[in-house]
Amino acid sequence: MLRSLTVGYGRRIILRGVSADIPRGELVSIVGANGTGKSTLLKAIAGLLPLVDGTIELFGRPIDEMRSHVAYVPQREEVDWSFPVSVRDVVMMGRYPRLGWFRPARAEDESAVDAALEELGIADLARRHVRELSGGQQRRAFIARAVAQEPDVVLLDEPMSGIDAATHDRILELFDAWRQRGKVIVQATHGDVHGESMIVLRRRGEPAEAARLAHHAADTEEHHDARAR
């Protein structure tokens, strides 16, 4: 539950007055033009940005008490791909909220990582350096990290950007599986709206209905172009 969120960077306010109720098993797309704060909203929910005002609750409890239940998948552009880690190392990071930093992995952690690698179809890449992977494989690695965390809420920033068709379809399958398990999925997107709910972000003075219709018109065109390729 988001209530009257105001979020910014220092004194620069990016979002103001964002409210939404998201039940279990829901897939929500955050839509809006560039610069309207889609990524900012995800980071605020993930705890990566402080709130200027407003509240966030998860299943009736303050979000600060529930951080370990929230997994965040960043945009590819926000990741330092030169960092010397393997795909398995990346996925194991999803266990840190349960395990703690710098503690040795337990058998249950290793099993969760193995299962996540298999679920994303990248078990054969486990020992590869992440910088050696294609864009789609890198995206799978970071989604596998989220899967290994065993979260109740999954936040994804532009998950369909720069990926191959097989990865696109696998992510859609995961969305369906997560919803059936009662997880909450929130994705920020430019052109791949899924689910039945949206949070529409607009610039001040822009009518909500105009923003929604304009976005859907762009989405339809981009989606058909992508599938045609």
Side-chain angles (χ1 to χ4, degrees), residues 22 26-32 38-39 41-42 45 71-73 139 143 153-161 163 168 171-172 175 178 184-201 215 219:
I22 307 173
E26 191 83 2
L27 168 57
V28 178
S29 293
I30 303 174
V31 302
K38 297 186 296 294
S39 295
L41 180 55
L42 282 186
I45 299 172
Y72 172 65
V73 181
R139 186 60 48 83
I143 293 177
V153 177
V154 186
L155 310 173
L156 307 101
D157 200 347
E158 298 289 348
M160 303 301 188
S161 175
I163 60 175
H168 178 280
I171 292 173
L172 290 184
F175 283 175
W178 289 341
V184 173
I185 310 107
V186 183
Q187 66 153 354
T189 181
H190 277 95
D192 227 314
V193 176
H194 301 287
E196 299 177 351
S197 301
M198 291 191 300
I199 297 174
V200 180
L201 303 180
H215 184 83
D219 289 342

Side-chain angles (χ1 to χ4, degrees), residues 16 45 55 85 92 103 105 116 145 155 172 214 216 218 229:
R16 192 186 302 274
I45 299 172
T55 59
V85 290
M92 182 60 75
R103 293 184 180 178
R145 181 183 71 171
L155 310 173
L172 290 184
H216 270 310
R229 288 197 297 269

Side-chain angles (χ1 to χ4, degrees), residues 159-180:
M160 303 301 188
S161 175
I163 60 175
D164 56 275
T167 299
H168 178 280
D169 292 343
R170 184 66 189 118
I171 292 173
L172 290 184
E173 292 171 356
L174 283 173
F175 283 175
D176 287 339
W178 289 341
R179 293 177 72 181
Q180 291 173 13

Side-chain angles (χ1 to χ4, degrees), residues 30-101:
I30 303 174
V31 302
N34 288 337
T36 52
K38 297 186 296 294
S39 295
T40 298
L41 180 55
L42 282 186
K43 290 176 181 177
I45 299 172
L48 301 177
L49 285 176
L51 300 181
V52 176
D53 197 12
T55 59
I56 304 174
E57 291 185 356
L58 177 59
F59 311 134
R61 297 175 62 181
I63 190 66
D64 288 341
E65 298 178 7
M66 303 289 285
R67 293 294 181 198
S68 64
H69 296 259
V70 180
Y72 172 65
V73 181
Q75 290 190 47
R76 184 178 182 278
E77 291 76 14
E78 295 185 2
V79 178
D80 179 5
W81 298 108
S82 66
F83 196 73
V85 290
S86 69
V87 171
R88 188 177 186 84
D89 292 333
V90 168
V91 180
M92 182 60 75
M93 291 176 189
R95 300 300 298 174
Y96 292 168
R98 297 173 178 270
L99 178 63
W101 291 88

Side-chain angles (χ1 to χ4, degrees), residues 100-139:
W101 291 88
F102 307 118
R103 293 184 180 178
R106 303 159 299 187
E108 63 191 83
D109 302 308
E110 298 288 357
S111 295
V113 169
D114 289 339
L117 290 166
E118 289 288 347
E119 189 165 5
L120 271 298
I122 53 173
D124 59 325
L125 304 176
R127 301 302 174 187
R128 294 269 299 275
H129 192 295
V130 290
R131 69 184 172 196
E132 299 173 353
L133 307 183
S134 67
Q137 290 169 336
Q138 289 172 341
R139 186 60 48 83

